């Protein structure tokens, strides 16, 4: 069913519905309505439009009794929803007209919506793209996660240093969700296990309720809508009346406070696990609620548990929900009486595990004592899973080792398929982190290269380019992105080139206006916009980008009358609050920006901009406006990257290493349209073994030596000259990510880009070919791959 086909909606209807919601849902009179009231009314109007396709999808799925996908993820980094929903329902222009006819500026209303920032970065954003694609493809699916009261922290700079404040998206009403007070499960922790008649029973010492909140997720053209079900933690007993009556008012609210803590806040650490009890409780909380929920649905359809794997596909987004394996075994064996061996087999048939990192320090491990205390039954079950595995494989690989429970091994052993997220990464998964398990199960590891949704990351964030593409190849590309290939034939067409440049310029102007209004900074819209936006991490090498910026500054100062290509270096990204080195890098970027931006000698040619609080919404402004995409991680460290795909799709060539999905992007756009530099993954490994590799590299590069000297002498921190001395010392002594080794080749590649960028025709050609040739990186393609190869599920709409 296609809502826009069956129920044509016009401006007058939307207008009337917005007014109805304003009055009856918000209780506001038009004359007193705030932007918030208008935004809520519009959101509720759009939400109404999703309900019919949502019901229809749910009904179809129940009637078919087919297989469903359950995507378990600690993170869903969604961003704003108004435009997303309006675009998917094809009512974006109608909604805009309706709001304008009510005297409301549509852009202002849209901008009032806070980002739903229930994720840290790539992994969470990937989950959001997958939800969009699952609905677009009409695959019956649920996303399961946590309804955090506070999403990812907000970042501010104080004297150049990152300061975090709590995010508060739920302080306002969340317009898109439906509360389901009747859907709740009791989730236990700690306590003890009692065995009788050969059957174990866990008696938790503490329980909380997991209470469901559903958000419909509508796909392209409103043909199908799935559900994102997020769990909020609530107390099983609201209030301790006894304490209250005894006058201890604080103790009376204690059960409530304790329970709610579990869904209070998103852990802001990407890539370095924290090992904290609360995090373990969060993981188990949402995993157990989700598994109970899907089992209830399965059993309500009258199936036999032995058929579970024919009806249920559970995908684990990294190891964060890996306890699902043990929980499923516990329910099947302890609650439903299956044998442990049978339970393990059935669970494995359902489970798939996606790995997102090779960084050894990022692989989740739990202290065994902590784990056994919080989840005593699961601890025992994991031992049984390990026994079975060891017996079957005369195994060298353990799940519990040296006092820790290794979640990667648990996820691997309990999954029928394990996937990496780019071709290179999947090979490295086989060769490094899981080489032993790969030798035992050579068919288990597979690759599913990431993708991004073209609806949000081209259609909706880039209207000028979207319109140009529609005029050139028609409007059916958003759900068949490889049609963009049809643009390649215009790559040398002068008229098309001019239109392509105009679109880019409009996006650059839009970004400039947005930043001017937000932060008061002015950008020269004719300069090259050179952009690196992602979490701040040493392996992503924002530091190398900055060192190159300083080197360029030096060079311009040495030759101020040179023919320099004006550039604006734009950085965006947050550091984990406890990641000291990442925070030093932020401080250094801001300090260097302060000095360089006020240098009258170089200001025509070079500017650094680092807007605070990078998020999904900022990405939607930045990416379409970008001329050059920075994807410069140390080879072998970035599992995939997804920003790299978004930039290429929006016509920005990449400067990048042979890392993650860069490899596949380059293969597709062509080597001549991708600026490659740096060591390969194999060379990186070899170079690290060379004695004094960093000192040697620095010594061999006068440019780099000079820059490091300036930083450690306090040129950029005159009020505290030694501020960055230790950061620089680290470069010499412990340059684990090989900034020093790749610096020269990075610098030289950038100078080639200076030359190429001003050859307007040839640069435009490269840009066009980037857009034309990256259609394969649609998350629709990725999800089709999971559906065929891992989940064995089919579209219910024939998409
Ligand atoms: C773990 C334990 C405790 C607290 C936090 C965490 C945690 C949270 C988030 C660990 C890792 C993450 C996020 C990882 C992540 O975003 N990885 C990225 O995943 C993308 C999607 O596959 C890839 O494109 C990126 O290359 C990868 O870095």
């Amino acid at each position: 069913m296609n809502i826009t086909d069956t129920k044509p909606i016009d401006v007058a209807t939307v207008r009337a519905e917005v007014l109805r919601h304003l009055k009856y849902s918000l209780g506001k009179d038009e004359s007193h309505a705030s932007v918030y009231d208008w935004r809520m009314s519009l959101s509720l109007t759009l939400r109404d439009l999703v309900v019919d396709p949502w019901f229809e999808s749910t009904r179809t799925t129940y009637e078919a009794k087919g297989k469903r996908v359950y995507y378990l993820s600690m993170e869903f980094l969604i961003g704003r929803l108004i435009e997303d929903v309006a675009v998917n329902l094809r009512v974006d222009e109608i909604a805009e007209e309706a709001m304008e006819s009510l005297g409301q500026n549509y852009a202002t209303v849209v901008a009032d919506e806070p980002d739903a920032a229930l994720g840290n970065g790539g992994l969470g954003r990937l989950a959001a793209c997958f939800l969009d694609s699952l609905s677009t493809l009409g695959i019956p699916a649920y996303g399961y996660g946590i309804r955090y009261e506070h999403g990812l922290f907000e970042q501010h700079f104080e004297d150049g240093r990152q300061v975090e404040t709590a995010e508060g998206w739920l302080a306002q009403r969340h317009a898109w969700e439906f509360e389901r007070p009747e859907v709740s499960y009791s989730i236990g922790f700690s306590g003890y296990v009692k065995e009788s008649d050969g059957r174990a029973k866990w008696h938790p010492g503490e329980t909380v309720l997991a209470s469901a909140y559903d958000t419909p997720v509508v796909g392209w053209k409103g043909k199908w809508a799935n559900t994102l079900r997020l769990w909020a933690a609530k107390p099983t007993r609201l209030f301790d009346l006894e304490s209250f009556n005894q006058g201890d008012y604080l103790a009376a609210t204690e059960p409530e406070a304790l329970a709610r803590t579990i869904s209070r806040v998103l852990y802001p650490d990407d890539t370095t696990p924290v090992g904290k009890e609360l995090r373990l409780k969060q993981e188990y909380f949402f995993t157990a609620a989700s598994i109970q929920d899907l089992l209830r649905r399965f059993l309500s359809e009258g199936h036999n548990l032995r058929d579970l794997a024919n009806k249920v596909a559970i995908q684990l987004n990294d190891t964060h929900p890996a306890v699902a394996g043990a929980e499923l075994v516990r329910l099947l064996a302890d609650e439903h009486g299956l044998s442990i061996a049978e339970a393990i087999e059935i669970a494995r048939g359902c489970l798939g595990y996606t790995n997102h990192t090779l960084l050894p320090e990022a692989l989740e491990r739990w202290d065994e004592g902590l784990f056994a205390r919080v989840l005593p039954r699961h601890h025992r079950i994991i031992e049984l899973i390990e026994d079975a595995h060891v017996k079957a494989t005369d195994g060298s690989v353990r799940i519990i080792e040296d006092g820790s429970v290794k979640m990667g091994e648990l996820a691997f052993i309990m999954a029928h398929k394990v996937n990496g997220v780019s071709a290179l990464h999947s090979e490295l998964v086989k060769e490094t982190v899981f080489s032993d398990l790969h030798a035992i199960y050579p068919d288990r590891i597979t690759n599913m290269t990431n993708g991004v949704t073209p609806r949000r990351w081209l259609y909706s964030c880039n209207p000028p380019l979207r319109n140009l593409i529609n005029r050139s190849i028609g409007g059916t590309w958003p759900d068949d992105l490889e049609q963009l290939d049809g643009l390649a034939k215009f790559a040398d067409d002068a008229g098309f080139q001019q239109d392509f440049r105009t679109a880019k310029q409009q996006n650059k102007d839009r970004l400039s206006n947005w930043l001017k209004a937000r932060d008061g900074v002015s950008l020269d819209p004719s300069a090259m916009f050179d952009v690196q936006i992602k979490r701040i991490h040493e392996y992503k090498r924002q530091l190398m980008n900055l060192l190159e910026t300083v080197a360029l500054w030096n060079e311009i100062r040495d030759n101020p009358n040179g023919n320099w290509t004006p550039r604006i270096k734009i950085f965006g990204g947050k550091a984990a609050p406890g990641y000291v080195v990442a925070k030093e890098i932020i401080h250094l970027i801001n300090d260097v920006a302060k000095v360089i931006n006020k240098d009258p000698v170089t200001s025509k040619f070079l500017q650094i901009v680092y807007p605070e609080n990078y998020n999904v919404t900022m990405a939607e402004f930045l990416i379409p406006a970008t001329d050059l995409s920075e994807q410069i991680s140390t080879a072998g460290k970035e599992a995939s990257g997804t920003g790299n795909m978004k930039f290429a799709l929006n016509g920005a060539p990449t400067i990048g290493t042979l890392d993650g999905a860069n490899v596949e992007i380059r293969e597709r756009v062509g080597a001549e349209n991708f600026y490659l530099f740096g060591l390969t993954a194999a060379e990186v490994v070899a170079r690290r073994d060379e004695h004094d590799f960093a000192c040697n590299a620095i010594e061999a590069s006068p440019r780099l030596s000079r820059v490091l000297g300036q930083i450690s002498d306090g040129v950029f921190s005159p009020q505290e000259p030694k501020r960055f001395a230790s950061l620089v010392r680290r470069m010499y002594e412990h340059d684990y990510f090989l900034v020093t080794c790749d610096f020269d080749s990075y610098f030289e590649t950038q100078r080639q880009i200076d030359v190429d960028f001003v050859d307007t025709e040839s640069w435009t050609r490269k840009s066009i070919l980037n857009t034309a040739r990256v259609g394969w990186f649609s998350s629709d393609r990725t999800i089709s791959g999971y559906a065929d190869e891992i989940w064995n599920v089919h579209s219910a709409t024939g998409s």
Side-chain angles (χ1 to χ4, degrees), residues 75 120-124 126 267-275 279 283 318 320 354-357 362 364 366 421 450 539-540 637-642:
E75 308 196 356
N120 274 289
L123 167 149
L126 185 74
Y267 268 90
D269 274 78
D270 70 333
T271 67
T272 42
V274 283
R279 168 80 183 187
E283 294 187 355
D318 215 297
H320 315 154
T354 305
N355 172 284
H356 296 267
T357 186
E364 265 194 310
W366 291 104
V421 289
N450 283 167
Y539 83 80
K540 294 177 188 283
K637 292 297 172 194
E638 190 69 270
S640 163
T642 45

Side-chain angles (χ1 to χ4, degrees), residues 1 3 6 11 41 50 94 185 194 200 243 274 293 314 362 410 417-418 441 492 513 575 579 637 733 796:
M1 150 156 164
I3 172 168
T6 55
V11 175
S41 303
V50 178
I94 291 167
Y185 298 94
K194 218 174 176 169
S243 303
V274 283
D293 194 43
I314 303 168
L410 174 63
K417 285 282 172 191
V418 174
Y441 306 106
D492 294 304
N513 293 334
Y579 190 169
K637 292 297 172 194
E733 290 167 5

Side-chain angles (χ1 to χ4, degrees), residues 116-185:
L118 310 185
N120 274 289
L123 167 149
R125 184 53 235 174
L126 185 74
C129 284
F130 281 5
L131 291 182
D132 183 273
S133 286
L134 283 162
S135 290
T136 292
L137 293 173
I139 294 173
Y142 286 76
Y144 276 126
I146 297 178
R147 184 176 178 272
Y148 299 107
E149 207 174 306
H150 303 285
L152 186 62
F153 67 85
E154 283 180 5
Q155 175 195 55
H156 311 272
F157 296 141
E158 279 178 17
D159 297 327
R161 285 189 186 85
Q162 171 175 297
V163 176
E164 304 92 23
T165 56
E167 187 282 337
W169 71 306
L170 287 182
Q172 303 171 341
R173 175 174 171 192
H174 180 44
W176 303 102
E177 68 185 4
F178 293 91
E179 188 176 357
R180 303 285 189 219
E182 77 284 11
V183 182
S184 74
Y185 298 94

Side-chain angles (χ1 to χ4, degrees), residues 92-246:
D92 41 326
E93 284 170 7
I94 291 167
E96 174 162 5
E97 253 185 75
M99 294 314 284
E100 301 286 337
S101 82
L102 290 163
Q104 298 308 307
N105 179 267
Y106 182 66
T108 307
V109 173
V110 166
D112 184 61
E113 182 176 6
D115 274 32
L118 310 185
N120 274 289
L123 167 149
R125 184 53 235 174
L126 185 74
C129 284
F130 281 5
L131 291 182
D132 183 273
S133 286
L134 283 162
S135 290
T136 292
L137 293 173
I139 294 173
Y142 286 76
Y144 276 126
I146 297 178
R147 184 176 178 272
Y148 299 107
E149 207 174 306
H150 303 285
L152 186 62
F153 67 85
E154 283 180 5
Q155 175 195 55
H156 311 272
F157 296 141
E158 279 178 17
D159 297 327
R161 285 189 186 85
Q162 171 175 297
V163 176
E164 304 92 23
T165 56
E167 187 282 337
W169 71 306
L170 287 182
Q172 303 171 341
R173 175 174 171 192
H174 180 44
W176 303 102
E177 68 185 4
F178 293 91
E179 188 176 357
R180 303 285 189 219
E182 77 284 11
V183 182
S184 74
Y185 298 94
S186 136
I187 308 297
F189 299 102
S190 59
Y192 61 96
V193 178
K194 218 174 176 169
E195 298 213 18
S196 66
D197 305 334
R199 211 151 143 179
K201 186 154 177 52
W202 175 28
H203 300 268
E206 185 191 337
T207 55
V208 302
L209 282 185
S211 179
Y213 288 77
D214 287 349
T215 301
V217 181
V218 68
W220 178 239
K221 291 189 179 166
K223 286 190 210 157
W224 187 266
N226 287 316
T227 303
L228 171 61
R229 174 161 283 183
L230 299 179
W231 302 105
K234 299 191 175 160
T236 42
R237 258 182 338 141
L238 260 181
F239 196 67
D240 182 356
L241 196 61
E242 204 174 314
S243 303
F244 183 81
N245 289 339
Q246 287 166 9

Side-chain angles (χ1 to χ4, degrees), residues 730-749:
R730 278 172 69 87
M731 286 283 93
Y732 285 83
E733 290 167 5
H734 189 74
D735 178 25
Y736 188 75
F737 296 104
L738 283 79
V739 168
T740 56
C741 304
D742 278 345
F743 177 84
D744 277 340
S745 103
Y746 179 59
F747 183 91
E748 278 151 25
T749 308

Side-chain angles (χ1 to χ4, degrees), residues 273-281 283 323 363-376 378-380 382-383 399-408 410:
V274 283
K276 293 269 171 24
E277 177 168 334
L278 180 60
R279 168 80 183 187
L280 179 60
K281 286 184 165 174
E283 294 187 355
V323 70
L363 295 171
E364 265 194 310
R365 289 154 185 265
W366 291 104
D367 173 79
E368 191 182 356
L370 167 70
F371 195 96
R373 183 163 55 72
V374 176
L375 299 170
H378 299 79
H379 176 247
R380 178 65 194 140
I382 290 170
E383 288 178 337
I399 302 173
I400 303 180
E401 201 169 51
D402 304 329
S404 34
V405 184
K406 301 189 287 181
M407 302 309 268
L410 174 63

